[in-house]
């Protein structure tokens, strides 16, 4: 494993530390920033280099989907000259690096945490650089550990190249010929567009992901939703918390100043071949569920619902905003195609864009439900001194994003400080 120079000026040797943070991304370092402010000793472990996913696991044209003004890291809000724009990959990494440099966290890079278990009133933290003990532990490793590829992918003709979206970088990486992109979350639709712009023939398996307007009635839709209090809604107050936690993110793009993505237009204007969800593979034969039109309709229903919510906010507050024409479907499938021959269609590559699974197998602490998902209240688990941060809907919609990480990490730092104060009193 490659080791990197730590950003810390006071890195610890293996031993005991009051707080161990696992994960050197924006979530883990945000908690670190608040702990430093409170004077609480801690160590951050990062198995790669800080902000590894942003540096390595993004394609060349990747950019934010939410506006730059939503980058509100602790003590370090977005400081560029384009708050309504969308930072590209290198700009995001630069912003994050400057955030880390602004407070110099006690970060151990190139150190993998391999096991965490309860020991007495605290925890044992086994790492690739030795064994530590800690009074409290924060898990900030995220939920994107294992790329999801369905079992039937093994049955695909080996002549067809297949990769996961995590490994996609640019169209020229793929062999000449058509590409099947599977999945229509944010990654899937943006990779689809990247290929279309390069003049590649694209086939797209459309899943159940919802979509969002980009600009509507004179402003970015996220600006309207922020003003309307949508992003302040907590998971406790959400009318359908199960759906909120499980639903795929709404798709749109921040590329070239931001625009919405209507898959119907890509079919009509760019010749993208649309199908329903992939149902199975055998050699070059790929089968699909007959759910294309339903998935398109459901995505549009979400799109229209967001417009209607914005309309209601504008009406309630008497805001003078330009009108927009009603939404119209510009294309619909003539029929549901349930099987194709990839060879006959000229498909030489498949990009799987159907998400990730977290890997918590190294955590031997009883904080998970029967499905293996962590159970917490705003990141605080029922096991004393054990926390999670950086996950979607930890508290609000912005919890897994730059928007609310400051609020979430401040809340955890306060909880950590309360426990630490109790320990100090016990030792006194």
């Amino acid at each position: 494993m490659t080791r990197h120079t730590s950003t810390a000026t006071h890195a610890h040797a293996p031993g005991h530390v009051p707080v161990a943070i696992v994960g050197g991304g924006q979530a883990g370092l945000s908690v670190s920033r608040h702990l430093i402010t409170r004077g609480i000793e801690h160590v951050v472990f990062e198995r790669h280099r800080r902000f590894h996913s942003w540096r390595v696991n993004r394609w060349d044209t990747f950019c934010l989907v939410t506006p730059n003004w939503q980058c509100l890291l602790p003590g370090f809000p977005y400081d560029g000259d384009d708050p309504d724009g969308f930072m590209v990959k290198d700009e995001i990494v630069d912003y994050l690096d400057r955030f880390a440099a602004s407070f110099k966290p006690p970060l151990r890079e190139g150190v993998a945490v391999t096991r965490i278990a309860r020991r007495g009133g605290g925890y044992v933290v086994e790492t690739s650089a030795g064994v530590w003990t800690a009074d409290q532990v924060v898990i900030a490793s995220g939920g994107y550990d294992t790329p999801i590829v369905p079992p039937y992918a093994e049955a695909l003709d080996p002549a067809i190249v297949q990769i996961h979206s995590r490994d996609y970088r640019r169209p020229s990486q793929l062999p000449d010929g058509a590409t099947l992109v599977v999945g229509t979350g944010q990654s899937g639709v943006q990779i689809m567009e990247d290929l279309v712009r390069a003049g590649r023939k694209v086939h797209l398996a459309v899943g159940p992901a919802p979509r969002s307007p980009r600009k509507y009635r004179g402003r970015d839709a996220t600006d309207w939703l922020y003003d309307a209090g949508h992003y302040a809604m907590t998971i406790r107050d959400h009318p359908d918390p199960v759906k909120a936690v499980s639903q795929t993110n709404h798709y749109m793009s921040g590329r070239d100043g931001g625009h919405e993505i209507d898959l119907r237009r890509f079919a009509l204007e760019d010749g993208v071949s649309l199908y329903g969800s992939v149902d199975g593979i055998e050699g070059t034969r790929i089968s699909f569920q007959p759910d294309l039109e339903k998935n398109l309709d459901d995505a549009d229903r979400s799109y229209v619902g967001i417009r209607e919510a914005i309309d209601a906010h504008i009406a309630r507050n008497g805001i003078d905003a330009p009108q927009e024409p009603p939404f119209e479907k510009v294309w619909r499938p003539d029929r549901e195609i349930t099987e194709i021959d990839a060879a006959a269609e000229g498909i030489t590559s498949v990009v799987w864009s159907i998400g990730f699974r977290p890997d918590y197998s190294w955590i031997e602490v009883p904080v998970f439900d029967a499905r293996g998902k962590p159970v917490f209240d705003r990141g605080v688990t029922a096991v004393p001194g054990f926390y999670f941060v950086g996950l979607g809907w930890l508290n609000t919609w912005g919890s897994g994003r730059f928007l609310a990480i400051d609020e979430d990490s401040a809340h955890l730092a306060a909880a950590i400080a309360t426990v630490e104060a109790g320990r100090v009193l016990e030792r006194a």
Side-chain angles (χ1 to χ4, degrees):
M1 177 184 294
T2 301
R3 299 285 178 97
H4 302 277
T5 301
S6 173
T7 56
T9 57
H10 47 287
H12 297 74
H16 181 79
V17 67
V19 182
I21 300 174
V22 184
Q26 68 271 15
L29 293 193
S30 291
V31 176
S32 175
R33 171 70 167 75
H34 281 290
L35 293 182
I36 286 175
T37 299
R38 290 176 172 273
I40 298 175
E41 185 183 0
H42 62 284
V43 171
V44 183
F45 297 107
E46 168 54 49
R47 60 183 169 181
H48 300 295
R49 186 182 177 190
R50 65 186 185 276
F51 315 122
H52 173 82
S53 291
W54 295 103
R55 295 181 196 279
V56 178
N57 297 334
R58 300 290 190 275
W59 57 93
D60 293 352
T61 60
F62 179 90
C63 61
L64 293 179
V65 173
T66 51
N68 294 333
W69 65 262
Q70 291 194 15
C71 295
L72 301 172
L73 295 180
F76 207 84
Y78 173 76
D79 56 355
D81 58 4
D82 190 15
D84 296 319
F86 306 88
M87 286 189 285
V88 297
K89 174 183 172 181
D90 289 346
E91 292 172 330
I92 300 166
V93 172
D94 176 69
Y95 168 69
L96 291 169
D97 278 340
R98 289 187 294 111
F99 164 63
S102 72
F103 67 100
K104 295 182 174 57
L107 176 62
R108 294 290 301 265
E109 295 177 292
V111 177
V113 175
T114 56
R115 178 175 178 262
I116 294 179
R118 291 281 276 166
R119 175 179 289 180
Y123 301 89
V124 58
V125 181
E126 298 180 5
T127 81
S128 58
V131 179
W132 299 63
T133 57
D135 298 324
Q136 303 188 73
V137 171
V138 180
I139 304 300
S141 55
Y144 300 96
D145 298 297
T146 306
I148 297 175
V149 176
Y152 50 72
E154 297 180 359
L156 182 67
D157 186 331
I160 299 174
V161 172
Q162 52 179 321
I163 64 171
H164 191 272
S165 60
R166 187 179 70 174
D167 301 312
Y168 173 79
R169 297 295 176 267
R170 62 195 68 89
S172 61
Q173 171 188 4
L174 302 177
D176 292 340
T179 298
L180 170 64
V181 178
V182 182
T184 48
Q186 289 179 358
S187 295
V189 298
Q190 291 177 71
I191 290 172
M192 175 272 295
E193 183 182 31
D194 200 41
L195 293 166
V196 167
R197 290 192 179 203
R200 307 291 288 262
K201 169 61 182 177
V202 181
H203 299 254
L204 181 65
V206 179
R211 75 183 186 100
S212 170
R214 179 81 271 175
K215 301 287 185 181
Y216 182 63
R217 299 193 67 175
R219 301 177 71 198
D220 195 276
T222 61
D223 292 351
W224 286 121
L225 293 173
Y226 181 85
D227 289 350
H230 177 80
Y231 299 140
M233 180 186 298
T234 68
I235 192 64
R236 288 181 176 180
D237 296 330
H238 198 285
D240 191 346
V242 174
K243 180 180 179 181
V245 172
S246 60
Q247 187 177 54
T248 303
N249 292 328
H250 294 71
Y251 60 80
M252 53 184 169
S253 177
R255 189 168 179 173
D256 297 337
H259 57 273
E260 62 189 46
I261 292 181
D262 183 350
L263 299 182
R264 299 180 192 271
R265 288 195 177 277
F266 277 94
L268 177 67
E269 300 173 4
D270 298 290
V272 175
S273 298
L274 304 183
Y275 312 93
S277 308
V278 174
D279 197 34
I281 293 176
E282 187 60 47
T284 63
R285 308 296 296 186
I286 303 175
S287 59
F288 305 92
Q289 297 178 24
D291 60 2
L292 171 60
E293 189 152 29
K294 177 183 183 302
N295 289 341
L296 291 173
D297 286 345
D298 287 348
D300 290 339
R301 191 173 297 111
S302 169
Y303 172 89
V304 171
I306 292 173
R307 286 169 52 128
E308 290 175 346
I310 294 171
D311 290 339
H313 168 72
I314 291 171
R316 278 195 308 271
N317 293 277
I319 299 171
D320 183 16
Q323 295 294 325
E324 296 269 0
F327 167 71
E328 294 184 3
K329 300 175 183 179
V330 299
W331 177 91
R332 62 181 301 269
D334 294 329
R335 60 189 178 90
E336 295 278 353
I337 299 174
T338 57
E339 185 175 277
I340 61 172
D341 185 325
E345 297 291 342
I347 294 173
T348 58
S349 57
V350 174
V351 179
W352 297 102
S353 301
I354 52 178
F356 299 80
R357 293 188 184 93
D359 177 12
Y360 296 127
S361 60
W362 46 279
I363 301 176
E364 300 175 11
V365 182
V367 292
F368 303 100
D369 64 16
R371 299 169 297 170
K373 293 185 176 182
V375 178
F376 48 70
D377 180 3
R378 293 196 66 179
V380 181
T381 75
V383 178
F386 205 87
Y387 314 90
F388 287 85
V389 71
L391 301 178
W393 283 104
L394 193 84
N395 185 45
T396 65
W397 174 87
S399 290
R401 300 163 177 84
F402 288 127
L403 179 63
I405 195 62
D406 184 15
E407 178 184 353
D408 288 346
S409 56
H411 177 77
L412 288 194
I416 290 168
T418 298
V419 174
E420 177 65 11
R423 289 183 178 275
V424 171
L425 288 175
E426 288 177 1
R427 291 193 293 264

